[in-house]
Amino acid sequence: MPTTDASTVQEHLRELKTLVHDSLKQWNLSTDTTAATNLVGMSNPTRMANELHPLGPVQVGVLQKEYKEKIAAIRAICYSFAQGPLHQSLNGGDSSLAPAFRKYSTVLKDESQLEEGVTAVKASMKECQNTLRAASQDGSVKTDYLLGTVKEMATGLGLECYEETTNKPTVSPLPVSTLTIGGTVIVIDIEIESTGTLLKVKVDYSATIHQDERIERLLAHNLRCKCSKLIQVIPENKKEATLAHLPDCSRDFGTFYRNLKALATLDSFQKKYPNIDFFHNIRSIDVDLKELFRREMLITNKDLQKVFTQGHGIPFTHAELPGPSVAYWASKADLLDVSWEALTTAVEQGANEKVKVPFHRISITMEEAMASTSGYLPNTRSGFLLSEEETQTLNSVPYGTIMTDQGSVSATTILQHPLRWVVPNSEPSVEAAYVGILHPPVVVSEEVAKQLAALSNQAGLNATMGIHKDPGYLSLQEMLINQNIEQAQWEIVLDQGPNAIRQLFSFDRTKNEARLIHRIPFTHISQVYMCTKLLRQQLTFNTLFQSCFNETQLDGTTKRLASSILPGSDSSLEVSIVVHTPQPPRTLLASFLNPYTETNMILEIQIDAGTGQPSVQLTSNSTQNSYSSMGEDSTRQGMELQQDFQQPSSHASGQQEQFTIEAAKLTEVLRLCDSVPILVRWVLKKSLAWMKDRHYYQGRPSLSHSSSTMGSSVQAMRRASGINADEGGILKRTRV
């Protein structure tokens, strides 16, 4: 928060209220009085629980610091009053002057109350005025609203603003208003036509090396009005042209404020610590990310998909946030229609507007920090990463050390030799830190959150939540499902017709602690690769888990009505599947009773920590053995489940041929679809084909008779499922 000139208790209280109000907005909590009162009365504030931590949307440490500073300032004023002559006169001073002092004190109290009331009314009137301006369809009103909103944002961030309206015939036949936002290093000019149309955003730096049109396009995209493409009235006299705006102009003020704040933060650091060039250090990170991309593209012969999934990711500049960013993950569905050749061309040209893939990204910028161990490069050094020539020759630098990054090379990485980095000497007196902003935020397990927090020595993850005891916090499973978590089963139907299989998914209710990660502070650029690997593993786990609980729809009707769509209760199979998460995000288990082979099966999915790629193996056991092993404790159940299925039953050993599928084929199927239900359906279809072949080669009756035999087995399985559901088994009671 910028330095203020508050000198009274009322001013400090208003600033304190603003501080709390802004934090609640970032936590997506209501800020009205009633909601706040209800929040105080809640013993388990669910929404806040998973975001109130050092990697959440609010810098908790900085918030605590500013809160304490405001309280200390208020106490100092109160103490000064208690020690002053007025308070002493009111309490034991000259009795002849007491009535006059009491009258004076009463006048001061009345004046303070009147000022507070007027301030509240003024704030309410201003809010109403902004609401009316935002809803207006008049171009001049929209212009005033846009300029006023941006000016208020800029001044709140400690920047200076200047406004002028002139005629610029070369730009527009209409009057043009220019808002200039100035800081120590940056100057931003915003030109707006009198119709409310944004003409241009220009960003200038004190050093021309930082000039980049992409940041101007980014800010302009946030502020540009979409109405000019819809409703425009241009009379013969163009000087009187008007633009009839829609009530919602689609200007993204929230994102513009976030981007402006990123620039203002660097600018404020530049003013506070003039010996360090913060813009230069951010640019150095951008240069390093592009150099890593160049090396990996060279090694893979321009295989962008491999670089994206296994390498350091795809670098962008001024894409989501001012500064460098890395695209590190996307779902299989989002990559389905991607032209990697066209994407490669767009990345190499820096054409951010041509990249339409909804990547998960890490945007790198800086933020205020309580204590920092970061180091900063001098202007004479253009990057933290040593060039290929320097890797062989450079062994020391006067402003830091040389680090060999062994973690950059492994059996799964693209690079074949360890990277070498310059690690500048830390500056403990500089209260600034590098931070990676996640777009979008990611739900992670507690273990992953701790590993990410360790990058900058962040602490407090355990202290901000209950120690696996508090039922008010959402578990990892509950956050990923993100709907009615009290629901018993989720039904997925991937086929239609008489042979359709209805998959009924449920999950083990043991709570795995979770965090919603928005920010990842770090101390050195080399740590970003570690972040991407951890996040890739977690996002793969999240995708596979969520695939089990995305209920399908048939002909516009939810699958809860599938029984009425699929004719006859005996014409479709119900397979109950329980998903276990004993070690997220490394392991995910899906257990079910195969109705064709009459064996219990478990799909064990392991997600590699280096690449984030899943691998699968299938184990099975006879129904006589497996049900007894299903304990009531779900955590023990998930762990013992693997051991149980790995031991062949005496009934099957040497006497019966077992249905099996190679792990490599299972892994190939899962990596193609990223869906557990599709994998289960594929296994069931394979097992059905295997059973048909088995009946044929063993000289069994005709296929139709075999199908009826399997149908009776399915009915027996359904009856068994109802019994075992009550005993804590993996099957749930079927619906009637």
Side-chain angles (χ1 to χ4, degrees), residues 25-26 57 59 149-150 153-154 157 159 186 188 214-215 217-219 221-223 252-266 318-325 359 361-367 435-441 518-519:
K25 284 178 62 179
Q26 293 181 69
Q59 293 176 257
T149 302
V150 174
M153 290 178 180
L157 293 170
L159 301 172
I186 59 171
I188 303 173
R214 286 171 293 187
I215 192 170
R217 292 197 295 266
L218 176 66
L219 296 177
H221 178 73
N222 299 151
L223 293 179
D252 194 350
F253 287 114
T255 304
F256 176 81
Y257 176 77
R258 182 198 68 187
N259 294 334
L260 182 62
K261 183 179 180 180
L263 291 172
T265 299
L266 291 176
H318 305 313
E320 290 285 342
L321 198 72
S325 63
F359 289 120
R361 307 174 191 245
I362 301 178
S363 296
I364 298 172
T365 184
M366 300 196 73
E367 66 181 13
V435 61
I437 308 297
L438 300 188
H439 307 282
H518 294 254
R519 307 161 28 261

Side-chain angles (χ1 to χ4, degrees), residues 331-504:
S331 68
K332 291 289 193 304
D334 292 329
L335 297 177
L336 191 61
D337 297 326
V338 170
S339 170
W340 293 100
E341 293 79 7
L343 182 59
T344 300
T345 302
V347 171
E348 291 176 345
Q349 293 176 349
N352 296 338
E353 66 280 358
K354 295 182 180 180
V355 179
K356 306 300 182 182
V357 183
F359 289 120
H360 280 250
R361 307 174 191 245
I362 301 178
S363 296
I364 298 172
T365 184
M366 300 196 73
E367 66 181 13
E368 185 180 354
M370 296 290 293
S372 174
T373 57
S374 301
Y376 304 96
L377 292 175
N379 288 345
T380 55
R381 176 80 196 177
S382 60
F384 295 86
L385 180 66
L386 266 61
S387 67
E388 294 170 310
E389 180 181 352
E390 289 176 330
T391 300
Q392 306 298 328
T393 59
L394 189 62
N395 295 314
S396 63
V397 290
Y399 44 83
T401 59
I402 304 295
M403 175 191 70
T404 301
D405 185 6
Q406 298 294 342
S408 62
V409 176
S410 69
T412 60
T413 59
I414 296 175
L415 298 176
Q416 304 299 315
H417 303 286
L419 297 172
R420 302 192 71 202
W421 302 88
V422 173
V423 182
N425 297 326
S426 61
E427 300 283 350
S429 61
V430 178
E431 295 182 340
Y434 298 110
V435 61
I437 308 297
L438 300 188
H439 307 282
V442 179
V443 176
V444 305
S445 67
E446 183 180 35
E447 179 183 348
V448 172
K450 288 181 178 179
Q451 293 181 61
L452 293 173
L455 298 179
S456 60
N457 298 320
Q458 294 280 347
L461 284 171
N462 287 333
T464 56
M465 294 181 76
I467 307 176
H468 309 279
K469 302 291 184 181
D470 196 331
Y473 298 118
L474 292 177
S475 67
L476 175 64
Q477 303 97 312
E478 292 166 342
M479 291 190 70
L480 292 177
I481 291 175
N482 193 27
Q483 50 183 297
N484 182 15
I485 59 178
E486 300 301 327
Q487 187 172 324
Q489 289 182 325
W490 287 257
E491 185 176 324
I492 295 181
V493 182
L494 299 176
D495 300 299
Q496 299 186 38
N499 296 320
I501 299 174
R502 298 166 60 192
Q503 300 182 37
L504 306 179

Side-chain angles (χ1 to χ4, degrees), residues 1-9 11-12 14-15 70 73 77:
M1 177 177 287
T3 304
T4 61
D5 299 324
S7 58
T8 66
V9 172
E11 290 172 343
H12 282 293
R14 281 195 289 270
E15 291 183 356
K70 297 299 177 187
I77 294 173

